[in-house]
Amino acid sequence: MTQEPTSLLPAWARTPTTRRPKSRRHQLPISSGAMEEADDHRPHSSTGRPFLSGLCAAALRRKPLGAHTSTAASGEGLVRQLGVLELVLLGIGASIGAGIFVVTGTVARDAGPGVTISFVLAGAACVLNALCYAELASRFPAVVGGAYMYTYAAFNEITAFLVFTQLMVDYHIGAASIARSLASYFIQFLELIPFLKGHIPNWIGHGEEFFGGVISINILAPILLILLTAILCYGVKESSAVNTFMTTLKIVIVIVVVFAGVFEVDVSNWSPFMPNGFKSVVTGATVVFFAYVGFDAVANSAEEAKRPQRDLPIGILGSLLACVLLYVAVCLVITGMVPYTLLGEDAPLAEAFAAKGLEFVTVLISIGAVVGLTTTLLVGLYVQSRLYLGLGRDGLLPSIFARVHPTRHTPLHSQIWVGCVAAVMAGLFNVHMLSHILSVGTLTGYSVVSACVITLRWNDKGTSRRSLGSMSIWQEGVLCLVIVALCGFIVGLCYRFNYAIAFMVVAFLIAVAASFALQFRQVYVDPPGFSCPGVPLVPVISVFFNMVLFAQLHEEAWYRFVILSLVAVGIYAGYGQYNTVPSSSDHSSVGYHGVPFEAP
């Protein structure tokens, strides 16, 4: 149980005698009537205190989960019908897309056969993140929200809202970009028919640019998004069945491709294994790291898992390990079949098999790419709607996002909104041009989730150590986490721009000192359910490495992070702080009880 320092709590949370009656919104399934009644119980910071002090008090609120847990566990609203196999396939479906057939060759042009090590290193880094996600998914097994919900409980309201906005931009741009790629692949299949080849206008599937490329019309991409949105609105059981079928097909295709390529491998192509040195392998790891992104989708299905405390950690770690094995196998095959210098950058795997005369395999690769894109897009849309559902329940977004269809048991309004945003972006803009500002939200979410594992393990009452100056022990720990993150970013900048190694060493040593403070000045308690090993070391390494990767992003991605954060603060200041639903449970602790281990 985590204890929050009293000094960080707003006044309305420290005076239980003046607290308003419990809102039915936390006791009954989400419905329009309950939401209208809950609106009357929201705190209005504009009365009785200045705007700035009210904003600060609201921003520092933390969320106990007891009320939402009981709602989610009631068996109403979203329905628990995803087993461990569906969760594993959900994570694989979100991670493995067309990238497995493209990224491998692109990185191999620089790293050579050492691209295999790049995928292993990236996979190891993702395992650290996955362990953190697995612990929190086990501790918060009955509520949707993922990284946003964990941040809300571990840190505060404004930080949770910032994490949500950064993740949402990644998801929205990513969904639109994948939809356009899928439309382009679909048109390529149609053009295999002789009388259609060369007769399909670009504006249908490939994109027709206007006004100097500012507008790029694509008709097929929004249609595909509408179809997938309809499947997700119909029901989670049906959408899970579609994902299970297509992900299984994708895995089978990858395995067939690997076995077909094994007989064409020439081991002499693996020498030299790292032709450009180990640094190129590390650089490749920063690129392929994002090929594993997607296992966090499992955490966002917490409210629909049959046995969340057991199945969510298995789904997160199982899907990630399966992706690692598939990626490594593909890398070994492709670099063994063809010298790495001859690999293409657009479709390296297909070109390698075509060079060996295995045309039937190239057809399978094309099918696998289309299926991979479809499942990635399907799961991405699914995750977005569950995040909107979580914020709608908390009042940080309009209550319409919190409504669940009474018979389909899906967040219908959230799902339609997500589909419409992606459809507009995919139909009107060349979102591929925005790819260099992606991954900011992912790295931000991963870093904060790792930090959440540490803060939620602290037991402030269990320590007799004095705080430093006016800071509490809790604030001191948060400061140490911030120092680790900043040092990781500095090390990443030094590595990227080839600064003097002395700067890297100094930053690394400061991070080590902060880690020692986290280890020896804090008292940690064992959580219920799955436990991340090596706390605080494993989460600290995860935060540090994520920030090293953050420093490798394009400079425009950093600008996007700052600008979007300012916009999010403005939205929160104007809407979120006044509409947040106050919790009826004690704000000084985080509740984990009442979560069913078995499906209701």
Side-chain angles (χ1 to χ4, degrees):
M1 192 75 70
T2 303
Q3 188 74 19
E4 178 167 356
T6 306
S7 59
L8 293 180
L9 293 176
W12 63 269
R14 296 200 301 266
T15 54
T17 58
T18 61
R19 195 173 295 156
R20 296 180 183 273
K22 293 184 179 180
S23 169
R24 289 181 60 208
R25 185 168 181 170
H26 292 293
Q27 299 172 349
L28 298 176
I30 298 297
S31 64
S32 58
M35 288 176 196
E36 293 171 359
E37 181 176 344
D39 290 340
D40 297 330
H41 297 284
R42 290 173 175 169
H44 297 280
S45 302
S46 59
T47 59
R49 56 184 173 186
F51 171 80
L52 187 59
S53 62
L55 174 62
C56 293
L60 293 176
R61 292 190 291 242
R62 289 171 65 188
K63 183 178 186 61
L65 296 182
H68 271 321
T69 298
S70 60
T71 301
S74 64
E76 303 183 47
L78 300 180
V79 177
R80 298 188 179 279
Q81 48 191 347
L82 297 180
V84 65
L85 178 61
E86 288 87 356
L87 293 173
V88 171
L89 293 176
L90 188 74
I92 296 175
S95 299
I96 295 184
I100 193 173
F101 307 112
V102 179
V103 176
T104 49
T106 303
V107 178
R109 293 294 296 270
D110 294 323
V115 65
T116 305
I117 306 299
S118 297
F119 271 99
V120 171
L121 291 175
C126 283
V127 166
L128 300 179
N129 290 296
L131 288 170
C132 297
Y133 262 98
E135 174 173 320
L136 295 180
S138 178
R139 294 184 71 170
F140 300 86
V143 283
V144 295
Y148 152 77
M149 187 62 65
Y150 308 151
T151 308
Y152 203 167
F155 290 103
N156 50 55
E157 194 168 281
I158 185 64
T159 305
F161 190 70
L162 290 174
V163 168
F164 166 79
T165 53
Q166 295 292 346
L167 283 172
M168 274 303 102
V169 170
D170 271 14
Y171 279 128
H172 285 317
I173 296 176
S177 179
I178 293 171
R180 288 181 74 98
S181 296
L182 183 58
S184 181
Y185 269 107
F186 191 79
I187 294 300
Q188 290 179 19
F189 269 111
L190 291 180
E191 289 181 338
L192 293 176
I193 303 174
F195 68 87
L196 290 178
K197 185 174 180 62
H199 293 86
I200 300 178
N202 286 335
W203 54 267
I204 292 182
H206 293 298
E208 184 75 24
E209 295 186 352
F210 298 92
F211 305 108
V214 176
I215 300 297
S216 180
I217 303 298
N218 190 312
I219 300 299
L220 184 56
I223 294 175
L224 295 173
L225 282 164
I226 291 171
L227 290 174
L228 292 178
T229 300
I231 293 173
L232 289 166
C233 289
Y234 192 77
V236 67
K237 185 176 182 180
E238 291 75 12
S239 57
S240 175
V242 172
N243 178 71
T244 297
F245 170 75
M246 301 191 77
T247 302
T248 303
L249 177 61
K250 175 171 58 178
I251 294 173
V252 170
I253 289 175
V254 172
I255 293 175
V256 169
V257 167
V258 169
F259 273 97
V262 164
F263 298 99
E264 302 294 333
V265 168
D266 182 357
V267 294
S268 64
N269 291 328
W270 290 336
S271 181
F273 197 74
M274 292 183 287
N276 296 318
F278 186 70
K279 184 175 182 179
S280 64
V281 172
V282 175
T283 302
T286 65
V287 176
V288 303
F289 175 87
F290 304 105
Y292 292 106
V293 170
F295 59 83
D296 57 324
V298 181
N300 285 280
S301 63
E303 203 167 315
E304 292 158 294
K306 290 181 179 179
R307 290 180 289 272
Q309 287 178 312
R310 186 201 71 172
D311 293 350
L312 290 177
I314 295 175
I316 292 171
L317 295 171
S319 61
L320 177 59
L321 294 177
C323 292
V324 172
L325 292 175
L326 292 175
Y327 279 132
V328 169
V330 169
C331 289
L332 289 175
V333 167
I334 190 175
T335 55
M337 290 178 62
V338 179
Y340 74 94
T341 54
L342 301 180
L343 288 173
E345 293 189 0
D346 294 329
L349 201 56
E351 293 174 10
F353 279 95
K356 295 292 184 178
L358 302 175
E359 297 293 340
F360 75 96
V361 180
T362 62
V363 176
L364 284 179
I365 292 172
S366 298
I367 296 174
V370 171
V371 172
L373 285 171
T374 303
T375 56
T376 302
L377 184 56
L378 183 73
V379 177
L381 294 173
Y382 166 87
V383 170
Q384 292 178 62
S385 66
R386 271 56 183 178
L387 283 171
Y388 275 104
L389 173 63
L391 270 84
R393 286 175 172 175
D394 293 334
L396 291 172
L397 291 178
S399 59
I400 190 173
F401 290 108
R403 296 176 184 173
V404 176
H405 194 276
T407 56
R408 295 296 175 193
H409 301 288
T410 57
L412 202 62
H413 300 88
S414 296
Q415 196 69 71
I416 292 174
W417 165 259
V418 166
C420 288
V421 170
V424 171
M425 294 179 66
L428 297 179
F429 305 104
N430 184 9
V431 288
H432 293 303
M433 298 174 61
L434 301 177
S435 60
H436 53 271
I437 69 170
L438 285 175
S439 303
V440 174
T442 302
L443 285 173
T444 301
Y446 283 4
S447 300
V448 174
V449 166
S450 299
C452 288
V453 170
I454 297 176
T455 58
L456 289 174
R457 290 276 199 104
W458 288 338
N459 182 4
D460 293 339
K461 286 186 176 181
T463 179
S464 59
R465 298 175 179 87
R466 292 186 177 182
S467 58
L468 299 177
S470 60
M471 286 192 303
S472 67
I473 291 293
W474 190 89
Q475 292 169 329
E476 177 190 329
V478 172
L479 178 61
C480 290
L481 287 172
V482 172
I483 291 174
V484 169
L486 289 176
C487 289
F489 185 70
I490 292 172
V491 169
L493 288 179
C494 294
Y495 175 81
R496 175 177 177 176
F497 296 109
N498 294 317
Y499 291 155
I501 193 172
F503 291 109
M504 296 180 62
V505 172
V506 170
F508 180 77
L509 291 177
I510 294 175
V512 170
S515 302
F516 271 102
L518 289 171
Q519 175 69 55
F520 297 108
R521 285 189 56 82
Q522 300 289 338
V523 175
Y524 296 88
V525 294
D526 293 329
F530 179 86
S531 176
C532 175
V535 174
L537 182 60
V538 168
V540 163
I541 295 175
S542 178
V543 171
F544 186 86
F545 187 76
N546 288 336
M547 295 309 297
V548 170
L549 292 177
F550 194 96
Q552 312 306 311
L553 298 178
H554 196 279
E555 292 178 9
E556 292 184 16
W558 304 341
Y559 302 150
R560 166 229 148 150
F561 177 82
V562 174
I563 294 172
L564 184 60
S565 296
L566 294 176
V567 171
V569 170
I571 295 174
Y572 177 80
Y575 181 86
Q577 66 163 325
Y578 301 116
N579 293 275
T580 306
V581 179
S583 174
S584 59
S585 40
D586 187 359
H587 279 260
S588 64
S589 62
V590 179
Y592 303 103
H593 304 293
V595 182
F597 188 83
E598 299 291 333

